[in-house]
Coordinates of all heavy atoms in Angstrom, one line a residue:
H21 N 74.8 14.2 -22.6 CA 75.9 15.0 -22.3 C 76.8 15.3 -23.5 O 76.9 14.4 -24.3 CB 76.7 14.4 -21.1 CG 77.3 13.1 -21.4 ND1 76.6 12.0 -21.4 CD2 78.6 12.8 -21.6 CE1 77.4 11.0 -21.7 NE2 78.6 11.4 -21.8
G22 N 77.3 16.4 -23.5 CA 78.1 16.8 -24.7 C 79.6 16.9 -24.4 O 80.0 16.7 -23.2
L23 N 80.4 17.3 -25.4 CA 81.8 17.4 -25.2 C 82.2 18.4 -24.2 O 83.1 18.2 -23.4 CB 82.4 17.7 -26.6 CG 84.0 17.9 -26.6 CD1 84.6 16.6 -26.1 CD2 84.5 18.2 -28.0
L24 N 81.5 19.6 -24.2 CA 81.8 20.6 -23.2 C 81.6 20.1 -21.7 O 82.4 20.3 -20.9 CB 80.9 21.8 -23.4 CG 81.2 23.0 -22.5 CD1 82.6 23.5 -22.6 CD2 80.2 24.1 -22.8
A25 N 80.6 19.3 -21.5 CA 80.3 18.7 -20.2 C 81.4 17.7 -19.8 O 81.9 17.7 -18.7 CB 79.0 18.1 -20.1
V26 N 81.8 16.9 -20.8 CA 82.9 15.9 -20.5 C 84.2 16.6 -20.2 O 84.9 16.2 -19.3 CB 83.0 14.9 -21.7 CG1 84.3 14.0 -21.5 CG2 81.8 14.1 -21.9
E27 N 84.5 17.7 -21.0 CA 85.8 18.4 -20.8 C 85.7 19.1 -19.4 O 86.7 19.1 -18.7 CB 86.0 19.5 -21.8 CG 86.3 18.9 -23.2 CD 86.5 19.9 -24.3 OE1 86.0 21.0 -24.1 OE2 87.0 19.5 -25.3
A28 N 84.6 19.6 -19.0 CA 84.5 20.2 -17.7 C 84.6 19.2 -16.6 O 85.3 19.4 -15.6 CB 83.1 20.9 -17.5
M29 N 84.0 18.0 -16.7 CA 84.2 16.9 -15.8 C 85.7 16.5 -15.7 O 86.2 16.3 -14.6 CB 83.3 15.7 -16.1 CG 81.9 15.9 -15.8 SD 80.9 14.5 -16.1 CE 80.4 14.6 -17.8
A30 N 86.3 16.3 -16.8 CA 87.7 15.9 -16.9 C 88.6 16.9 -16.2 O 89.6 16.5 -15.6 CB 88.2 15.7 -18.3
S31 N 88.2 18.2 -16.2 CA 89.0 19.2 -15.6 C 88.7 19.3 -14.1 O 89.2 20.2 -13.4 CB 88.7 20.6 -16.2 OG 89.1 20.5 -17.6
G32 N 87.8 18.5 -13.6 CA 87.5 18.5 -12.1 C 86.4 19.5 -11.7 O 86.4 19.9 -10.6
N33 N 85.6 19.9 -12.7 CA 84.5 20.9 -12.4 C 83.2 20.1 -12.1 O 82.9 19.2 -12.8 CB 84.3 21.8 -13.5 CG 85.5 22.7 -13.7 OD1 85.8 23.6 -12.8 ND2 86.3 22.6 -14.7
A34 N 82.4 20.7 -11.2 CA 81.0 20.2 -11.1 C 80.2 20.7 -12.3 O 80.4 21.8 -12.8 CB 80.4 20.8 -9.8
V35 N 79.4 19.9 -12.8 CA 78.6 20.2 -14.1 C 77.1 20.3 -13.8 O 76.6 19.3 -13.2 CB 78.9 19.2 -15.2 CG1 78.1 19.5 -16.4 CG2 80.4 19.2 -15.5
L36 N 76.6 21.4 -14.1 CA 75.1 21.6 -14.1 C 74.7 21.7 -15.6 O 75.3 22.5 -16.3 CB 74.7 22.8 -13.4 CG 74.8 22.8 -11.8 CD1 76.2 22.8 -11.4 CD2 74.0 23.9 -11.2
A37 N 73.7 20.9 -16.0 CA 73.3 20.9 -17.4 C 71.9 20.3 -17.5 O 71.4 19.7 -16.6 CB 74.3 20.1 -18.2
S38 N 71.4 20.5 -18.7 CA 70.1 19.9 -19.0 C 70.4 18.5 -19.5 O 70.8 18.3 -20.7 CB 69.4 20.7 -20.1 OG 68.2 20.1 -20.4
A39 N 70.3 17.5 -18.7 CA 70.5 16.1 -19.1 C 69.2 15.5 -19.6 O 68.4 15.0 -18.8 CB 71.1 15.3 -17.9
I40 N 69.1 15.5 -20.9 CA 67.8 15.0 -21.5 C 68.1 13.7 -22.2 O 69.1 13.6 -22.9 CB 67.3 16.0 -22.5 CG1 67.0 17.4 -21.9 CG2 66.1 15.5 -23.3 CD1 66.8 18.5 -22.8
P41 N 67.3 12.7 -22.0 CA 67.5 11.4 -22.7 C 67.6 11.6 -24.2 O 66.8 12.4 -24.8 CB 66.3 10.6 -22.3 CG 65.7 11.2 -21.0 CD 66.1 12.7 -21.2
G42 N 68.6 11.0 -24.8 CA 68.7 11.2 -26.2 C 68.7 9.8 -26.9 O 68.0 8.9 -26.4
A43 N 69.4 9.7 -28.0 CA 69.4 8.5 -28.8 C 69.9 7.3 -28.0 O 69.5 6.1 -28.2 CB 70.2 8.7 -30.0
Y44 N 70.8 7.5 -27.0 CA 71.4 6.5 -26.3 C 70.8 6.4 -24.9 O 71.3 5.7 -24.0 CB 72.9 6.6 -26.2 CG 73.5 6.7 -27.6 CD1 74.0 7.8 -28.1 CD2 73.6 5.5 -28.3 CE1 74.6 7.9 -29.3 CE2 74.2 5.5 -29.6 CZ 74.6 6.7 -30.1 OH 75.2 6.8 -31.3
G45 N 69.7 7.1 -24.6 CA 69.1 7.1 -23.3 C 69.9 8.0 -22.3 O 70.8 8.7 -22.6
L46 N 69.4 8.0 -21.1 CA 70.0 8.8 -20.0 C 70.7 7.9 -19.0 O 70.0 7.1 -18.4 CB 69.0 9.7 -19.3 CG 69.5 10.7 -18.3 CD1 70.6 11.6 -18.8 CD2 68.4 11.5 -17.7
R47 N 72.0 8.0 -18.8 CA 72.7 7.1 -17.9 C 72.3 7.4 -16.5 O 72.3 8.6 -16.1 CB 74.2 7.2 -18.1 CG 74.6 6.8 -19.5 CD 76.1 7.0 -19.6 NE 76.7 6.2 -18.6 CZ 77.8 5.4 -18.8 NH1 78.2 5.3 -20.0 NH2 78.3 4.7 -17.8
E48 N 72.2 6.4 -15.7 CA 71.9 6.5 -14.3 C 73.1 7.1 -13.5 O 72.9 7.8 -12.6 CB 71.4 5.2 -13.6 CG 70.1 4.7 -14.1 CD 69.0 5.6 -13.7 OE1 69.0 6.1 -12.5 OE2 68.0 5.7 -14.5
D49 N 74.3 6.8 -14.0 CA 75.5 7.2 -13.3 C 76.1 8.5 -13.8 O 77.2 8.8 -13.5 CB 76.6 6.1 -13.4 CG 77.0 5.8 -14.9 OD1 76.2 6.1 -15.8 OD2 78.1 5.2 -15.1
L50 N 75.3 9.2 -14.6 CA 75.8 10.5 -15.2 C 76.0 11.5 -14.1 O 75.0 11.9 -13.4 CB 74.8 11.0 -16.2 CG 75.3 12.1 -17.1 CD1 76.5 11.7 -17.9 CD2 74.2 12.5 -18.1
P51 N 77.2 11.9 -13.8 CA 77.4 12.8 -12.6 C 77.2 14.3 -13.0 O 78.1 15.2 -12.9 CB 78.9 12.6 -12.3 CG 79.5 12.2 -13.6 CD 78.4 11.5 -14.4
I52 N 76.0 14.6 -13.4 CA 75.6 15.9 -13.8 C 74.4 16.3 -13.0 O 73.4 15.5 -12.8 CB 75.2 16.0 -15.3 CG1 76.5 15.9 -16.2 CG2 74.6 17.4 -15.6 CD1 76.2 15.9 -17.6
M53 N 74.4 17.5 -12.4 CA 73.2 18.0 -11.7 C 72.3 18.5 -12.7 O 72.5 19.6 -13.3 CB 73.6 19.1 -10.7 CG 72.3 19.6 -9.9 SD 72.7 20.8 -8.7 CE 72.9 19.8 -7.3
T54 N 71.2 17.8 -13.0 CA 70.3 18.2 -14.0 C 69.6 19.5 -13.6 O 69.1 19.6 -12.5 CB 69.2 17.1 -14.2 OG1 69.9 15.9 -14.6 CG2 68.2 17.4 -15.3
S55 N 69.6 20.4 -14.5 CA 69.0 21.7 -14.2 C 68.2 22.2 -15.4 O 68.4 21.8 -16.5 CB 70.1 22.8 -14.0 OG 70.9 22.4 -12.8
T56 N 67.2 23.0 -15.1 CA 66.3 23.6 -16.1 C 66.5 25.1 -15.9 O 67.0 25.6 -14.9 CB 64.9 23.2 -15.9 OG1 64.4 23.8 -14.7 CG2 64.7 21.7 -15.9
P57 N 66.0 25.9 -16.8 CA 66.0 27.4 -16.6 C 65.4 27.8 -15.2 O 65.9 28.7 -14.5 CB 65.2 28.0 -17.7 CG 65.5 27.0 -18.8 CD 65.5 25.6 -18.1
A58 N 64.4 27.0 -14.8 CA 63.7 27.4 -13.5 C 64.5 26.9 -12.3 O 64.3 27.5 -11.2 CB 62.3 26.7 -13.5
T59 N 65.4 25.9 -12.4 CA 66.1 25.4 -11.3 C 67.6 25.8 -11.3 O 68.3 25.6 -10.3 CB 66.0 23.9 -11.2 OG1 66.6 23.3 -12.3 CG2 64.6 23.4 -11.1
L60 N 68.1 26.4 -12.3 CA 69.5 26.7 -12.4 C 70.0 27.6 -11.3 O 71.0 27.3 -10.7 CB 69.8 27.4 -13.8 CG 71.3 27.6 -14.1 CD1 72.1 26.3 -14.0 CD2 71.4 28.3 -15.4
T61 N 69.3 28.7 -11.0 CA 69.8 29.6 -9.9 C 69.9 28.8 -8.6 O 71.0 28.9 -7.9 CB 68.9 30.8 -9.8 OG1 68.9 31.5 -11.0 CG2 69.4 31.7 -8.7
E62 N 68.9 28.1 -8.2 CA 68.9 27.4 -6.9 C 70.0 26.3 -7.0 O 70.7 26.1 -6.0 CB 67.6 26.8 -6.6 CG 67.5 26.1 -5.3 CD 67.9 27.0 -4.1 OE1 67.7 28.2 -4.1 OE2 68.4 26.4 -3.1
N63 N 70.1 25.6 -8.1 CA 71.1 24.5 -8.1 C 72.5 25.1 -8.1 O 73.4 24.5 -7.4 CB 70.9 23.7 -9.4 CG 69.7 22.8 -9.3 OD1 69.1 22.6 -8.3 ND2 69.3 22.2 -10.5
L64 N 72.8 26.2 -8.7 CA 74.1 26.9 -8.6 C 74.4 27.2 -7.2 O 75.5 27.0 -6.7 CB 74.2 28.1 -9.5 CG 74.5 27.9 -11.0 CD1 74.2 29.2 -11.8 CD2 75.9 27.4 -11.2
R65 N 73.4 27.8 -6.5 CA 73.6 28.2 -5.1 C 73.9 26.9 -4.3 O 74.8 27.0 -3.4 CB 72.3 28.8 -4.6 CG 72.4 29.3 -3.2 CD 71.1 30.1 -2.7 NE 71.1 31.4 -3.4 CZ 70.1 31.8 -4.2 NH1 69.1 31.0 -4.5 NH2 70.2 32.9 -4.8
M66 N 73.2 25.8 -4.5 CA 73.5 24.6 -3.8 C 74.9 24.1 -4.0 O 75.6 23.8 -3.0 CB 72.5 23.5 -4.1 CG 71.1 23.7 -3.6 SD 69.9 22.4 -3.9 CE 70.7 21.2 -4.9
V67 N 75.4 24.1 -5.2 CA 76.7 23.6 -5.5 C 77.8 24.6 -4.9 O 78.8 24.1 -4.4 CB 76.9 23.5 -7.1 CG1 78.4 23.3 -7.4 CG2 76.1 22.4 -7.6
I68 N 77.5 25.9 -4.9 CA 78.5 26.8 -4.4 C 78.5 26.7 -2.8 O 79.6 26.7 -2.3 CB 78.1 28.3 -4.8 CG1 78.4 28.4 -6.3 CG2 78.9 29.3 -3.9 CD1 77.8 29.7 -6.8
E69 N 77.4 26.5 -2.2 CA 77.3 26.6 -0.7 C 77.6 25.2 -0.1 O 78.1 25.1 1.0 CB 76.0 27.1 -0.3 CG 75.8 28.5 -0.6 CD 74.4 29.0 -0.3 OE1 73.5 28.2 0.1 OE2 74.2 30.3 -0.5
D70 N 77.3 24.1 -0.8 CA 77.5 22.8 -0.2 C 78.7 22.1 -0.7 O 78.8 21.5 -1.8 CB 76.2 21.9 -0.6 CG 76.2 20.6 0.1 OD1 77.3 20.1 0.5 OD2 75.1 20.0 0.1
E71 N 79.8 22.2 0.1 CA 81.1 21.7 -0.3 C 81.1 20.2 -0.6 O 81.7 19.8 -1.5 CB 82.2 22.1 0.7 CG 83.5 21.7 0.3 CD 84.6 22.1 1.3 OE1 84.3 22.8 2.2 OE2 85.8 21.7 1.1
A72 N 80.4 19.5 0.2 CA 80.3 18.0 0.1 C 79.7 17.7 -1.3 O 80.1 16.8 -2.0 CB 79.6 17.4 1.2
L73 N 78.6 18.3 -1.6 CA 77.9 18.1 -2.9 C 78.8 18.5 -4.1 O 79.0 17.7 -5.0 CB 76.6 18.9 -3.0 CG 75.9 19.0 -4.3 CD1 75.4 17.6 -4.7 CD2 74.8 20.0 -4.3
R74 N 79.5 19.6 -3.9 CA 80.4 20.1 -5.0 C 81.5 19.1 -5.2 O 81.8 18.7 -6.3 CB 81.0 21.5 -4.6 CG 81.8 22.1 -5.7 CD 82.2 23.5 -5.4 NE 83.0 23.6 -4.1 CZ 82.5 24.1 -3.0 NH1 81.2 24.6 -3.0 NH2 83.2 24.2 -1.9
R75 N 82.2 18.6 -4.1 CA 83.3 17.7 -4.2 C 82.8 16.4 -4.8 O 83.5 15.7 -5.6 CB 83.9 17.5 -2.9 CG 84.8 18.7 -2.4 CD 85.5 18.3 -1.2 NE 86.2 19.5 -0.6 CZ 87.4 19.9 -0.9 NH1 88.1 19.2 -1.8 NH2 87.9 20.9 -0.4
D76 N 81.6 15.9 -4.4 CA 81.1 14.7 -4.9 C 80.9 14.8 -6.4 O 81.3 13.9 -7.2 CB 79.7 14.3 -4.3 CG 79.1 13.1 -4.8 OD1 79.7 12.0 -4.7 OD2 78.0 13.2 -5.4
L77 N 80.3 15.8 -6.9 CA 80.1 16.0 -8.4 C 81.4 16.1 -9.1 O 81.6 15.6 -10.2 CB 79.3 17.3 -8.6 CG 77.8 17.2 -8.3 CD1 77.1 18.6 -8.4 CD2 77.1 16.2 -9.3
Q78 N 82.4 16.8 -8.5 CA 83.7 16.9 -9.1 C 84.4 15.6 -9.2 O 85.0 15.2 -10.2 CB 84.6 17.9 -8.2 CG 84.1 19.3 -8.3 CD 84.8 20.2 -7.3 OE1 85.2 19.8 -6.2 NE2 85.1 21.5 -7.7
E79 N 84.4 14.8 -8.1 CA 85.1 13.5 -8.1 C 84.4 12.5 -9.0 O 85.1 11.8 -9.8 CB 85.2 13.0 -6.6 CG 86.1 13.8 -5.8 CD 86.0 13.5 -4.3 OE1 85.3 12.5 -3.9 OE2 86.6 14.2 -3.5
R80 N 83.1 12.4 -8.9 CA 82.4 11.5 -9.8 C 82.5 11.9 -11.3 O 82.7 11.0 -12.1 CB 80.9 11.4 -9.4 CG 80.8 10.6 -8.1 CD 79.3 10.3 -7.7 NE 78.4 11.4 -7.8 CZ 77.4 11.5 -8.6 NH1 77.0 10.5 -9.4 NH2 76.6 12.6 -8.6
G81 N 82.5 13.2 -11.5 CA 82.7 13.7 -12.9 C 84.0 13.4 -13.5 O 84.1 12.9 -14.6
R82 N 85.0 13.6 -12.7 CA 86.4 13.3 -13.1 C 86.6 11.8 -13.4 O 87.1 11.4 -14.5 CB 87.4 13.7 -12.1 CG 88.8 13.4 -12.3 CD 89.5 14.3 -13.3 NE 90.9 13.8 -13.5 CZ 91.7 14.4 -14.3 NH1 91.3 15.4 -15.0 NH2 92.9 13.9 -14.4
R83 N 86.1 11.0 -12.5 CA 86.1 9.5 -12.7 C 85.3 9.1 -13.9 O 85.8 8.3 -14.7 CB 85.7 8.8 -11.4 CG 85.9 7.3 -11.4 CD 85.6 6.7 -10.0 NE 84.4 7.1 -9.4 CZ 84.3 7.9 -8.4 NH1 85.4 8.4 -7.8 NH2 83.1 8.3 -7.8
F84 N 84.1 9.6 -14.1 CA 83.3 9.3 -15.2 C 84.0 9.7 -16.5 O 84.0 8.9 -17.5 CB 82.0 10.0 -15.1 CG 81.0 9.8 -16.3 CD1 80.2 8.7 -16.2 CD2 81.0 10.6 -17.4 CE1 79.3 8.4 -17.3 CE2 80.1 10.4 -18.4 CZ 79.3 9.3 -18.4
A85 N 84.6 10.9 -16.6 CA 85.3 11.3 -17.8 C 86.5 10.4 -18.1 O 86.7 10.0 -19.3 CB 85.8 12.7 -17.7
E86 N 87.2 10.0 -17.1 CA 88.4 9.1 -17.4 C 87.9 7.7 -17.8 O 88.5 7.2 -18.7 CB 89.2 9.0 -16.1 CG 90.0 10.2 -15.7 CD 90.7 10.2 -14.4 OE1 90.5 9.1 -13.7 OE2 91.4 11.1 -14.1
E87 N 86.9 7.2 -17.1 CA 86.5 5.8 -17.4 C 85.7 5.7 -18.7 O 85.8 4.7 -19.4 CB 85.6 5.3 -16.3 CG 86.4 5.0 -15.0 CD 85.5 4.7 -13.8 OE1 84.3 4.6 -13.9 OE2 86.1 4.5 -12.7
Q88 N 84.9 6.7 -19.0 CA 84.0 6.6 -20.2 C 84.5 7.3 -21.4 O 84.1 7.0 -22.6 CB 82.6 7.1 -19.8 CG 81.9 6.3 -18.7 CD 81.8 4.8 -19.0 OE1 81.5 4.5 -20.2 NE2 82.1 4.0 -18.1
H89 N 85.4 8.3 -21.2 CA 85.8 9.1 -22.4 C 87.4 9.2 -22.5 O 87.8 10.0 -23.3 CB 85.2 10.5 -22.3 CG 83.7 10.4 -22.4 ND1 83.1 10.3 -23.6 CD2 82.8 10.4 -21.4 CE1 81.8 10.3 -23.4 NE2 81.5 10.4 -22.1
G90 N 88.1 8.5 -21.6 CA 89.6 8.6 -21.7 C 90.1 7.9 -22.9 O 89.4 7.1 -23.6
Y91 N 91.4 8.1 -23.2 CA 92.0 7.5 -24.4 C 91.9 6.0 -24.4 O 91.7 5.4 -25.5 CB 93.4 8.1 -24.6 CG 94.4 7.5 -23.7 CD1 95.2 6.4 -24.1 CD2 94.7 8.1 -22.5 CE1 96.1 5.9 -23.3 CE2 95.6 7.5 -21.7 CZ 96.4 6.4 -22.1 OH 97.3 5.9 -21.2
L92 N 92.1 5.3 -23.3 CA 92.1 3.9 -23.3 C 90.7 3.4 -23.6 O 90.5 2.4 -24.4 CB 92.5 3.3 -21.9 CG 93.9 3.5 -21.5 CD1 94.2 3.0 -20.1 CD2 94.8 2.7 -22.5
K93 N 89.6 4.0 -23.1 CA 88.3 3.6 -23.4 C 88.0 3.8 -24.9 O 87.4 3.0 -25.6 CB 87.3 4.4 -22.6 CG 85.8 4.0 -22.9 CD 85.5 2.6 -22.4 CE 84.0 2.3 -22.5 NZ 83.7 1.0 -22.0
Q94 N 88.5 4.9 -25.4 CA 88.3 5.2 -26.9 C 89.0 4.2 -27.8 O 88.4 3.8 -28.8 CB 88.7 6.7 -27.2 CG 87.9 7.7 -26.4 CD 86.4 7.5 -26.6 OE1 85.9 7.4 -27.7 NE2 85.7 7.5 -25.5
C95 N 90.2 3.8 -27.4 CA 90.9 2.8 -28.1 C 90.2 1.5 -28.1 O 90.1 0.8 -29.1 CB 92.3 2.6 -27.6 SG 93.4 4.0 -27.9
E96 N 89.7 1.1 -26.9 CA 88.9 -0.1 -26.9 C 87.7 -0.1 -27.8 O 87.4 -1.1 -28.5 CB 88.3 -0.3 -25.4 CG 89.4 -0.7 -24.4 CD 88.8 -0.7 -23.0 OE1 87.5 -0.7 -22.8 OE2 89.6 -0.8 -22.0
L97 N 87.0 1.0 -27.8 CA 85.8 1.2 -28.7 C 86.2 1.1 -30.2 O 85.5 0.5 -31.0 CB 85.1 2.5 -28.4 CG 84.4 2.6 -27.0 CD1 83.9 4.0 -26.8 CD2 83.4 1.5 -26.8
I98 N 87.3 1.7 -30.5 CA 87.7 1.7 -31.9 C 88.1 0.3 -32.3 O 87.7 -0.2 -33.4 CB 88.9 2.6 -32.2 CG1 88.5 4.1 -32.0 CG2 89.6 2.4 -33.5 CD1 89.6 5.1 -31.9
L99 N 88.9 -0.4 -31.5 CA 89.2 -1.8 -31.8 C 88.0 -2.7 -31.9 O 87.9 -3.5 -32.8 CB 90.2 -2.4 -30.7 CG 91.6 -1.8 -30.6 CD1 92.3 -2.2 -29.4 CD2 92.3 -2.1 -31.9
R100 N 87.0 -2.5 -31.0 CA 85.8 -3.3 -31.1 C 85.1 -3.0 -32.4 O 84.7 -3.9 -33.0 CB 84.9 -2.9 -29.9 CG 83.6 -3.7 -29.9 CD 82.5 -3.1 -29.0 NE 82.1 -1.9 -29.7 CZ 81.5 -0.9 -29.1 NH1 81.2 -0.9 -27.8 NH2 81.1 0.2 -29.8
D101 N 85.0 -1.8 -32.8 CA 84.3 -1.4 -34.0 C 85.0 -2.0 -35.2 O 84.4 -2.3 -36.2 CB 84.1 0.1 -34.1 CG 83.1 0.7 -33.1 OD1 82.4 -0.2 -32.5 OD2 83.1 1.9 -33.0
L102 N 86.3 -2.1 -35.1 CA 87.1 -2.6 -36.3 C 87.1 -4.2 -36.2 O 87.6 -4.8 -37.2 CB 88.5 -2.1 -36.2 CG 88.7 -0.6 -36.5 CD1 90.1 -0.2 -36.2 CD2 88.3 -0.3 -37.9
G103 N 86.6 -4.8 -35.2 CA 86.5 -6.2 -35.1 C 87.9 -6.8 -34.7 O 88.1 -8.0 -35.0
V104 N 88.7 -6.0 -34.1 CA 90.0 -6.5 -33.6 C 89.9 -7.2 -32.3 O 89.3 -6.6 -31.4 CB 91.0 -5.3 -33.6 CG1 92.4 -5.8 -33.1 CG2 91.2 -4.7 -34.9
D105 N 90.5 -8.4 -32.2 CA 90.5 -9.1 -30.9 C 91.6 -8.4 -30.0 O 92.7 -8.5 -30.3 CB 90.8 -10.6 -31.1 CG 90.8 -11.4 -29.8 OD1 90.5 -10.8 -28.8 OD2 91.1 -12.6 -29.9
E106 N 91.1 -7.9 -28.9 CA 92.1 -7.2 -28.0 C 93.1 -8.1 -27.3 O 94.1 -7.6 -26.9 CB 91.3 -6.4 -26.9 CG 90.4 -5.3 -27.4 CD 89.6 -4.6 -26.4 OE1 90.2 -4.3 -25.3 OE2 88.4 -4.4 -26.6
S107 N 92.8 -9.4 -27.3 CA 93.7 -10.3 -26.6 C 94.9 -10.7 -27.5 O 95.8 -11.3 -27.1 CB 93.0 -11.6 -26.1 OG 92.4 -12.2 -27.3
S108 N 94.7 -10.5 -28.8 CA 95.8 -10.9 -29.7 C 97.0 -9.8 -29.7 O 96.7 -8.6 -29.5 CB 95.3 -11.0 -31.2 OG 94.7 -9.8 -31.6
P109 N 98.2 -10.3 -29.9 CA 99.4 -9.4 -29.8 C 99.4 -8.3 -30.9 O 98.9 -8.3 -31.9 CB 100.6 -10.3 -29.9 CG 100.1 -11.6 -30.2 CD 98.6 -11.6 -30.1

């Protein structure tokens, strides 16, 4: 998933994208409706017509963006990479 997908999720939008395993693999909890050129039209139709599906993607996407890409998570990752002990004052 890329920055555009994360920004869309953070904004509360359902995301349809080509979720292809990359250098870090494909997360099982990734709240993206995987689509290909062949399935995009039908998947869009499903998201538009199925309110429960749409809301589920929106809610899980927002939560995913906050938990995995929010500023607190990013600060934790930076501190970890710098070797800073988070428990010290």
